[in-house]
Amino acid sequence: MTDGELIVDLRGRRIETLDDFWDAVSGPCGPDTINTRGISDFLVVHVDGRGLFDGSRREGRAPAEVFDAPQNRLIVHTAA
């Protein structure tokens, strides 16, 4: 973790829709970090590779566009 970096770990949380995802992220981040579904700080979000992020759902790729800056990352964890 670097200075000013916020890590949000959503593993184990059921995320089936984009609204589920943004609601889950905006809770710990607050309105200063998420601004109209854009990221204004250094943010790393961990999610499970299921539900919205199981790889088969087109809408699951949408958050990756928001996390395109080098300091912001969406990490999808898959079961081994």
Side-chain angles (χ1 to χ4, degrees), residues 1-34:
M1 185 163 100
T2 62
D3 289 339
E5 184 177 71
L6 176 61
I7 297 175
V8 177
D9 192 342
L10 301 177
R11 289 175 286 180
R13 185 166 180 160
R14 185 180 175 123
I15 299 175
E16 295 294 331
T17 67
L18 285 173
D19 284 338
D20 291 345
F21 174 75
W22 290 115
D23 289 346
V25 170
S26 65
C29 294
D32 292 336
T33 301
I34 305 292

Side-chain angles (χ1 to χ4, degrees), residues 45-50 53-54 74-78:
V45 178
H46 295 266
V47 296
D48 289 324
R50 60 187 172 99
F53 299 104
D54 71 3
L74 175 65
I75 301 170
V76 179
H77 296 268
T78 56

